[in-house]
Amino acid sequence: MSDKNLYPVPQEWAKRARVNAEKYAQLYGRALADPGSFWLEQARRLDWIKRPEIAGDWSFREEDFRISWFPDGKLNAAANCIDRHLKTRPDQVAILWEPDDPAEEARRFTYRELHAEVCRFANVLKGQGVQKGDRVTIYLPMIPEAAFAILACARIGAIHSVVFGGFSPEALAGRIQDCDSKIVVTADEGRRGGKRVPLKANVDAAAVHTPSLEKVVVVRATGGDVAMTAGRDAWYHDLARDADGDCPCEPMGAEDPLFILYTSGSTGKPKGVLHTTGGYLVWVALTHELTFDYQPGSIYWCAADIGWVTGHSYILYGPLANGATTMMYEGVPNWPTPSRIWEVVDKHGVEIVYTAPTALRALMREGDDWVKRTSRGSLKLLGTVGEPINPEAWRWYHEVVGEGRCPIIDTWWQTETGGTMIAPLPGATDLKPGSATKPMPGIDPQIVDGDGNVLQGAAEGNLVIAKSWPGQMRTVWGDHGRFFQTYFSTYPGKYFTGDGARRDEDGYYWITGRVDDVLNVSGHRMGTAEIESALVLHPKVAEAAVVGMPHEIKGQGIYAYVTLNAGEEPGDDLRGALGKWVRTEIGPIATPDAIQFAPGLPKTRSGKIMRRILRKIAEGDVSNLGDISTLADPAVVDDLVANRVS
Ligand code: ATP
Ligand code: MG
């Protein structure tokens, strides 16, 4: 590995950060050598009603399959995120809210105010008949009430199921029904990028298919016109008028459910991932502190939507458990202009930004000027999550956005894992662009081959986790069999992530993409991420997606979809040039067999490329593209089908 590809921990980070290289080695060693005492000690991060005396009790084997953490403990998640801070920092801002429209005022809620808002919301839910264990579907835009509603559920022991506000009525209906939710909390409309999203109308459309639905609580966000169904629908502000500003916290068993969250749906029918209370909260509090080296007083911004696990763990539960000031942003990265994120950073003095490669690539495509016209002087750390970040985007983030001064924290994790699993710690880990680097304390990753043999040293294969950790999901809602089948049957005794990875000679992990996406070209296994990274490195290419297609000789051929930078023209010359480019970057074996220029790629609502659909198109099997209801813009599919390269 040449020096050009290694970014050592900056001196001042090694000195200042909570965890340096030595401390990381210590933590990592202890967590695996003596998990019982390590995790009981970590549990002390939280306030318990009854402190646990048992740490992990688990087996991944079929005969005695079980996962539990701190099973004898009792606590309340909302009390940990709010009430316990009332003594130490009542007047510190807990939630800093930035509206879609930059002309409007930001809003701030101190811990004291957050307490009152959450209590009021909790009492409203109780008034609607919600009890401990009931499922509450939350279909809200990125407004403060989304945080209040989530924490209100936690306070009274109801299980929240947040459905991203960009989902269609069909997707919403499926998620309401899957968990038999009797109540939906929504808003009249949402706002994103200056446009309105008809949330209440979507709920009305979904309700046609959801017999279990009894109540709809509507938050007035935009004041837009909506129809209200008598007996079923009520305005939040009407219900809240007489609601008490205090509400006791329900004592919860550590293993009582906290929430259900449906995965983003890139690979098939969404799964209702269930997380429980104690282990999840310990895990997100620990990982939020380690991954971002959060220091009291810092303004921290996770730019994900609250509808994704990233929003759950790193806008709300992790930062609030740690007493942070967490920012919530209603809008999108590129509105009104591609400068918005960086303008918001300047406006609020944000020190930590956490976003997704898809957003970075979109901004990168618009050119550096949008970034450079802002100061960004407050930035200290830049995080990324959601997909492999191609080294080109990594370097842009590091050099253009962070001006070489901010560590890039590439975090690999999943809805299923609750929090970050493989990620550098800013004061401890030298960085390599494109690598998620090293595991968090307590995480024991292994690379296995197709037969389940554990590969040692530098190796490439399937990524599994050999031991349980507190933030692990506990079941698929309503389908425990599917839980075992999906994650524990492929490699007995291990949690199978579904992702491929390479471990290099320094023990660094490189996620190569989903295992389903790994190509086998003439007997060579290749991650799609690597070929995509090579394509994106070309100065004219903004984004690329690579899938396999049947090939008579090679077994699998390489089909690449390429989106060009603003102002670039597609054509056969460029097609040839791109083929040569990949050949030089990786080798002849990686040369695409077909390149299709695409104005847009099919993406999930969370911005991930849906390769399942691209694979079907590449194979010429366009009659049955499967469920496309979770696509952000289904219209791009027609263009892709029409311009297929055969
Ligand atoms: P579904 O499981 O329904 O197909 P999903 O896997 O997209 O949806 P998430 O749990 O949001 O749902 O995403 C987790 C996946 O995202 C990981 O398994 C991995 O493939 C990818 N991923 C997340 N972060 C990273 C990262 N830093 N580097 C590489 N891949 C990542
Ligand atoms: Mg997944």
Side-chain angles (χ1 to χ4, degrees):
M1 183 68 51
S2 72
D3 287 338
K4 168 173 156 280
N5 291 316
L6 190 74
Y7 293 69
V9 176
Q11 285 264 314
E12 71 275 21
W13 274 92
K15 266 190 255 147
R16 191 185 60 209
R18 276 206 181 73
V19 178
N20 60 16
E22 200 183 323
K23 178 95 188 287
Y24 165 73
Q26 226 176 43
L27 284 173
Y28 190 77
R30 269 196 58 212
L32 290 185
D34 189 4
S37 80
F38 179 84
W39 287 114
L40 287 177
E41 188 183 303
Q42 287 302 324
R44 289 176 174 265
R45 303 179 162 270
L46 303 184
D47 271 9
W48 296 82
I49 298 165
K50 182 188 173 295
R51 199 186 284 282
E53 283 161 29
I54 304 169
D57 174 27
W58 58 272
S59 162
F60 290 169
R61 297 266 165 200
E62 190 162 18
E63 53 279 14
D64 55 354
F65 182 62
R66 64 183 192 281
I67 301 169
S68 78
W69 283 88
F70 315 116
D72 58 335
K74 275 202 182 329
L75 76 169
N76 182 282
N80 274 282
C81 290
I82 308 166
D83 302 46
R84 64 168 169 160
H85 304 311
L86 295 180
K87 282 170 255 150
T88 46
R89 46 171 73 83
D91 299 317
Q92 183 200 304
V93 174
I95 294 180
L96 166 55
W97 180 79
E98 169 70 19
D100 186 47
D101 185 342
E104 282 177 29
E105 293 281 316
R107 293 172 70 190
R108 292 173 174 79
F109 299 87
T110 64
Y111 275 96
R112 198 199 309 276
E113 289 162 339
L114 180 62
H115 177 261
E117 295 285 358
V118 170
C119 284
R120 221 184 321 278
F121 218 113
N123 284 322
V124 164
L125 292 177
K126 276 186 173 173
Q128 296 298 293
V130 175
Q131 295 178 352
K132 179 175 178 177
D134 287 353
R135 277 78 59 207
V136 175
T137 299
I138 297 175
Y139 183 62
L140 283 171
M142 285 288 283
I143 54 178
E145 286 80 358
F148 307 156
I150 288 172
L151 293 164
C153 288
R155 196 165 189 91
I156 62 175
I159 306 170
H160 56 78
S161 164
V162 181
V163 177
F164 172 53
F167 273 127
S168 65
E170 296 73 39
L172 173 63
R175 286 157 172 76
I176 293 172
Q177 270 197 298
D178 186 79
C179 66
D180 295 312
S181 172
K182 294 193 196 63
I183 179 164
V184 173
V185 180
T186 189
D188 44 8
E189 296 172 315
R191 306 181 304 176
R192 275 166 70 80
K195 297 195 196 90
R196 302 237 169 154
V197 187
L199 295 176
K200 174 61 169 63
N202 286 352
V203 173
D204 293 338
V208 177
H209 312 284
T210 55
S212 68
L213 187 61
E214 291 167 9
K215 301 273 183 201
V216 179
V217 174
V218 189
V219 174
R220 179 173 284 159
T222 65
D225 263 352
V226 294
M228 298 291 275
T229 302
R232 188 193 69 184
D233 304 350
W235 287 103
Y236 175 72
H237 58 264
D238 286 337
L239 301 171
R241 202 166 293 131
D242 305 318
D244 204 295
D246 202 3
C247 171
C249 288
E250 187 71 31
M252 303 296 284
E255 281 298 337
D256 282 339
L258 180 61
F259 65 83
I260 300 168
L261 185 59
Y262 291 87
T263 56
S264 68
S266 355
T267 48
K269 182 180 181 276
K271 298 175 278 279
V273 167
L274 183 93
H275 282 286
T276 57
T277 309
Y280 171 79
L281 207 60
V282 169
W283 185 242
V284 295
L286 169 69
T287 52
H288 173 260
E289 183 181 293
L290 292 184
T291 312
F292 302 108
D293 190 53
Y294 185 80
Q295 303 282 353
S298 288
I299 309 286
Y300 159 89
W301 180 14
C302 165
D305 193 279
I306 216 127
W308 310 123
V309 73
T310 308
H312 284 54
S313 300
Y314 297 117
I315 296 176
L316 289 185
Y317 286 114
L320 293 177
N322 290 338
T325 296
T326 181
M327 200 166 92
M328 228 177 130
Y329 170 47
E330 187 181 27
V332 296
N334 57 358
W335 189 83
T337 73
S339 283
R340 184 68 190 279
I341 292 199
W342 323 120
E343 285 166 1
V344 172
V345 164
D346 288 350
K347 176 173 171 191
H348 296 298
V350 173
E351 295 182 14
I352 300 170
V353 167
Y354 189 32
T355 187
T358 180
L360 295 173
R361 287 192 300 259
L363 295 176
M364 203 171 135
R365 184 180 185 199
E366 303 296 333
D368 298 356
D369 286 351
W370 294 107
V371 185
K372 289 186 169 157
R373 64 179 60 165
T374 62
S375 150
R376 286 154 290 111
S378 55
L379 284 177
K380 292 200 172 125
L381 181 150
L382 300 167
T384 146
V385 60
E387 284 181 289
I389 179 162
N390 43 296
E392 172 86 346
W394 194 103
R395 290 207 172 81
W396 184 80
Y397 204 19
H398 188 257
E399 272 141 44
V400 179
V401 175
E403 294 172 346
R405 138 187 120 244
C406 307
I408 304 296
I409 304 300
D410 174 8
T411 63
W412 173 82
W413 60 294
Q414 310 178 297
T415 309
E416 294 88 336
T417 70
T420 58
M421 297 288 279
I422 300 182
L425 307 192
T429 322
D430 299 340
L431 306 174
K432 297 184 186 186
S435 169
T437 75
K438 303 260 188 147
M440 300 301 287
I443 300 308
D444 185 10
Q446 292 182 346
I447 297 196
V448 298
D449 67 16
D451 301 322
N453 301 307
V454 178
L455 307 178
Q456 306 294 339
E460 182 169 344
N462 302 330
L463 181 64
V464 301
I465 311 292
K467 296 187 176 66
S468 183
W469 66 99
Q472 183 168 27
M473 74 182 280
R474 300 296 195 266
T475 192
V476 171
W477 180 262
D479 198 346
H480 203 53
R482 186 175 176 203
F483 179 50
F484 181 84
Q485 194 58 35
T486 308
Y487 303 103
F488 303 93
S489 66
T490 319
Y491 302 106
K494 298 174 202 288
Y495 168 80
F496 178 40
T497 64
D499 287 335
R502 178 165 68 81
R503 187 176 46 224
D504 70 17
E505 56 285 356
D506 299 323
Y508 276 53
Y509 288 84
W510 302 72
I511 307 299
T512 49
R514 293 161 203 274
V515 169
D516 297 351
D517 298 332
V518 171
L519 306 175
N520 192 331
V521 182
S522 309
H524 298 271
R525 280 169 54 88
M526 259 183 294
T528 48
E530 192 180 4
I531 308 173
E532 287 160 10
S533 289
L535 283 164
V536 176
L537 207 53
H538 190 279
K540 293 188 175 170
V541 174
E543 192 155 45
V546 165
V547 296
M549 62 174 194
H551 192 284
E552 271 183 27
I553 300 154
K554 304 180 188 174
Q556 245 182 340
I558 298 171
Y559 194 110
Y561 297 84
V562 169
T563 304
L564 297 177
N565 279 326
E568 298 295 349
E569 285 298 321
D572 281 338
D573 286 354
L574 183 55
R575 196 175 267 127
L578 289 177
K580 271 210 201 98
W581 177 267
V582 176
R583 209 177 176 58
T584 342
E585 284 294 321
I586 309 180
I589 186 74
T591 314
D593 297 280
I595 294 178
Q596 175 172 350
F597 292 107
L601 297 172
K603 292 190 182 169
T604 63
R605 303 267 165 176
S606 56
K608 298 185 196 202
I609 298 166
M610 227 198 246
R611 290 191 179 69
R612 171 166 66 78
I613 289 172
L614 294 176
R615 222 180 284 133
K616 290 249 182 193
I617 296 173
E619 286 164 4
D621 178 14
V622 295
S623 57
N624 174 25
L625 293 175
D627 180 11
I628 59 169
S629 71
T630 61
L631 275 183
D633 178 13
V636 301
V637 173
D638 296 334
D639 176 88
L640 291 171
V641 170
N643 294 302
R644 185 176 164 259
V645 181
S646 46

